[in-house]
Amino acid sequence: MPTRAPARSGAAAFFDLDKTIIAGSSALAFSRPFRRQGLISRRAALRSGYAQLLLVLSGADADTMDLLRRRITALCTGWEVAQIRSIVAETLHDIVEPMVYAEATDLIAEHRANGDEVVVLSASGLEVVEPIAVLVGADRCFATRMGVADGRYTGVIDYYCYGEEKAQAARQVAEEQGYRLEDCRAYSDSITDLPLLEAVGHPTVVNPDRALRREAELRGWPVLTFADPVALRFRPPPLRTTLTAAGIGAAAALAAVGWYAWRRPARYWFRWGS
């Protein structure tokens, strides 16, 4: 007899992905299999590595994010969406499972047990974000999506799940489900997610960058340190609701960035998305 899912609590828990749920970059994690499939040349990898280096050195400010976004959209134009989905599906467990923070999965499980809706919000592309959200037991996700024509990426970003857009996604979920935002929670590591954290009644910062740590100290927000990325020992149960997303994403493009710098999942690897 199937176990009944707990009733909704009337609130949602919004989670950033990189350095909050996983110990690294979801956008970079699949770069190696993409290169093995011939999608990324050495020259493109070197250029992407340079963009990633700028991000590491300067932080996730708007100018750097815009530079990186332009590089990745140019890189992935013309890639076949079906091929990208196939690569991600075939390598998901080997690549992503060792990056998942045990503390994050415990927290997600706690929210689910309380009946909260768990929503992942990420600037990385949907083809990467959606399967990871399923893997960790989220109910739905919002992610960056890129335009597609004739089964290929056009190089135009239709929706960028970043900054204020994450806060807007949280407001959309609350309105659809009848939640009060003051009852909802949000978790993130990046100052770029300040609009999301300000939108809910219970913000918490996780492995915060310096700017977000200063903000948390000024506002008295809780600070959590997640430091135990381990391979999951279970497969998540079927979702209580159909996992939805902002639309067709461009994980391929986002995953291409920084291959040259990428070697293996690291505990504190900086990321493109947030």
Side-chain angles (χ1 to χ4, degrees):
M1 185 174 182
T3 303
R4 271 185 84 182
R8 288 284 187 220
S9 68
F14 300 100
F15 284 81
D16 173 44
L17 181 57
D18 298 345
K19 283 188 68 182
T20 302
I21 292 177
I22 63 173
S25 168
S26 55
L28 301 178
F30 296 92
S31 300
R32 186 170 290 178
F34 279 18
R35 190 171 191 273
R36 284 200 299 264
Q37 293 293 320
L39 294 170
I40 307 173
S41 68
R42 178 174 175 79
R43 181 177 179 181
L46 285 167
R47 292 185 65 189
S48 298
Y50 171 71
Q52 175 69 11
L53 178 61
L54 289 180
L55 179 62
V56 172
L57 293 177
S58 63
D61 59 82
D63 290 341
T64 304
M65 293 294 287
D66 183 64
L67 169 63
L68 201 51
R69 179 177 56 176
R70 284 186 279 111
R71 284 201 182 276
I72 61 179
T73 53
L75 184 63
C76 79
T77 301
W79 288 2
E80 291 186 4
V81 179
Q83 181 183 12
I84 301 312
R85 291 186 182 276
S86 177
I87 293 172
V88 172
E90 291 172 1
T91 59
L92 176 68
H93 292 291
D94 289 340
I95 289 176
V96 174
E97 282 196 10
M99 300 173 67
V100 177
Y101 282 122
E103 298 95 334
T105 58
D106 289 345
L107 185 57
I108 288 171
E110 180 180 336
H111 278 293
R112 288 177 62 92
N114 290 338
D116 297 335
E117 181 173 7
V118 176
V119 183
V120 173
L121 306 171
S122 177
S124 294
L126 178 61
E127 283 87 356
V128 162
V129 177
E130 185 175 38
I132 297 175
V134 173
L135 186 71
V136 300
D139 295 296
R140 64 167 121 179
C141 71
F142 287 79
T144 294
R145 68 176 185 267
M146 183 171 284
V148 176
D150 299 321
R152 295 178 181 273
Y153 295 115
T154 64
V156 176
I157 292 180
D158 286 342
Y159 172 75
Y160 189 28
C161 190
Y162 172 77
E164 177 59 33
E165 288 297 333
K166 287 191 180 183
Q168 182 57 38
R171 287 190 285 268
Q172 176 183 328
V173 170
E175 182 177 356
E176 289 175 356
Q177 301 299 325
Y179 304 145
R180 298 193 319 158
L181 279 171
E182 54 263 41
D183 295 331
C184 295
R185 298 180 180 274
Y187 303 89
S188 178
D189 73 292
S190 174
I191 190 62
T192 62
D193 286 338
L194 188 59
L196 170 65
L197 295 167
E198 291 176 328
V200 301
H202 302 280
T204 299
V205 303
V206 178
N207 298 339
D209 58 31
R210 281 181 292 182
L212 184 57
R213 183 177 293 276
R214 287 195 299 269
E215 199 70 33
E217 290 172 353
L218 287 172
R219 299 179 185 231
W221 290 347
V223 178
L224 299 179
T225 300
F226 291 173
D228 187 18
V230 294
L232 298 176
R233 294 177 183 154
F234 63 93
R235 293 294 183 268
L239 296 179
R240 291 171 290 167
T241 62
T242 301
L243 186 141
T244 61
I248 297 177
L254 304 177
V257 180
W259 176 88
Y260 190 69
W262 186 88
R263 291 295 182 271
R264 60 183 179 180
R267 184 166 296 184
Y268 295 109
W269 186 254
F270 208 91
R271 82 257 170 265
W272 140 215
S274 55

